[in-house]
Amino acid sequence: MFFPPFNEEISRYERKFQVSDMIYPAVEHQVRMHPSAFLPLFYPRYINNIYLDTPIFESFYDNVFGKGSRKKVRIRWYGEVNGLVEKPVVEFKIREGMLGNKLSFPLTPFVVDQYFSIDTLQQVFHDSKLPDWVFDVLVQLKPSLLNRYRRKYFMSFDGKFRLTIDDELQYFGIGINNNNFLEKYRSEDIIVELKYDKINDDAATFVTNALPFRLTKSSKYVNGIELLHPMLA
């Protein structure tokens, strides 16, 4: 599949911390007490993602095996997981090591219900005004996972570091045919992500060392696939 070349100049770092031994108020307390003076950026909101992968789960295996160059495609929207999705966006995440780029393109609205299928998405792709290369990639993929979580946003006082806390993680089975979304898993883990531009990497060690969480390569996509399709792990 064709993807644009990786652009290191506009890339950013994403550091993830998976927290399984603390309740949410304790995690947020640690963030608010951080010497970088993280303050809430705006209101929390629910994020929904439909991940797209090849029939042989190339994106999943590239991540599991730690491939240096990785690509991931997802459709994202905010608010309710079911019903009319008014402002969906398809995102292409391209990673080289710890650095990542993200390209986003708006899609036409669609409905998530028991009739949702790959045909729904194919029609959305046809109706959306997408660059040719984006359309060519999307028509080769299939829906592989639906997930949902609540996210709260913070920014350091100097504006150099953005931090998010994700909880209420849910994973739903999704396939190419009609979906009832009855296969569902909930995770009690909390995911903290620290994001910053490449130019601020030298200062990042101080920030990460002051967070009492375990740095991990955890991926929500990988975690969800392993829960729903343990035979692939």
Side-chain angles (χ1 to χ4, degrees):
M1 294 181 293
F2 170 81
F3 277 70
F6 182 79
N7 188 341
E8 190 168 318
E9 296 304 316
I10 62 170
S11 62
R12 69 177 184 180
Y13 282 97
E14 294 184 4
R15 308 286 188 181
K16 296 184 180 182
F17 306 83
Q18 185 169 338
V19 185
S20 57
D21 57 351
M22 298 174 67
I23 61 174
Y24 185 92
V27 173
E28 182 170 335
H29 176 75
Q30 292 294 334
V31 170
R32 289 177 176 271
M33 295 297 292
H34 194 281
S36 294
F38 283 102
L39 297 173
L41 195 54
F42 50 86
Y43 61 89
R45 57 185 177 179
Y46 284 91
I47 297 177
N48 311 288
N49 300 290
I50 294 175
Y51 289 90
L52 306 174
D53 210 335
T54 65
I56 59 173
F57 291 89
E58 290 181 60
S59 293
F60 169 75
Y61 284 116
D62 284 351
N63 197 306
V64 168
F65 295 133
K67 187 175 179 181
S69 299
R70 304 189 299 278
K71 303 174 179 67
K72 185 164 56 183
V73 183
R74 69 190 178 202
I75 297 170
R76 170 166 289 190
W77 70 97
Y78 302 97
E80 296 300 321
V81 67
N82 294 307
L84 177 63
V85 179
E86 295 189 57
K87 296 181 179 180
V89 174
V90 61
E91 298 181 340
F92 292 75
K93 297 196 72 175
I94 309 168
R95 296 186 65 83
E96 292 287 344
M98 297 298 295
L99 284 170
N101 294 168
K102 183 169 72 173
L103 302 173
S104 302
F105 304 91
L107 298 173
T108 59
F110 60 89
V111 175
V112 176
D113 59 13
Q114 69 269 29
Y115 303 109
F116 178 88
S117 70
I118 193 171
D119 292 334
T120 307
L121 289 182
Q122 295 291 351
Q123 189 62 52
V124 169
F125 301 153
H126 278 283
D127 294 343
S128 302
K129 296 179 180 179
L130 299 170
D132 289 343
W133 74 265
V134 172
F135 180 82
D136 290 343
V137 170
L138 292 177
V139 296
Q140 300 179 57
L141 306 177
K142 66 178 184 68
S144 55
L145 176 73
L146 168 62
N147 78 346
R148 171 178 172 82
Y149 46 89
R150 184 182 65 165
R151 170 166 287 181
K152 192 165 186 178
Y153 303 79
F154 298 84
M155 181 71 77
S156 62
F157 184 76
D158 60 12
K160 295 180 179 179
F161 296 91
R162 178 177 165 180
L163 185 145
T164 58
I165 306 176
D166 299 339
D167 71 333
E168 298 185 27
L169 277 70
Q170 298 181 70
Y171 302 96
F172 302 85
I174 189 170
I176 61 174
N177 298 315
N178 292 359
N179 289 273
N180 291 319
F181 305 106
L182 297 178
E183 189 176 16
K184 178 175 72 173
Y185 289 88
R186 183 185 177 101
S187 171
E188 299 301 323
D189 287 344
I190 298 170
I191 306 296
V192 177
E193 294 188 31
L194 182 70
K195 304 173 184 181
Y196 55 93
D197 293 337
K198 181 184 176 184
I199 194 172
N200 296 318
D201 190 38
D202 288 344
T205 300
F206 166 77
V207 179
T208 57
N209 285 347
L211 289 170
F213 313 130
R214 178 175 60 87
L215 189 65
T216 178
K217 293 183 179 179
S218 174
S219 162
K220 296 185 187 73
Y221 178 52
V222 170
N223 292 344
I225 292 295
E226 290 180 340
L227 285 170
L228 292 162
H229 305 284
M231 73 292 295
L232 296 176

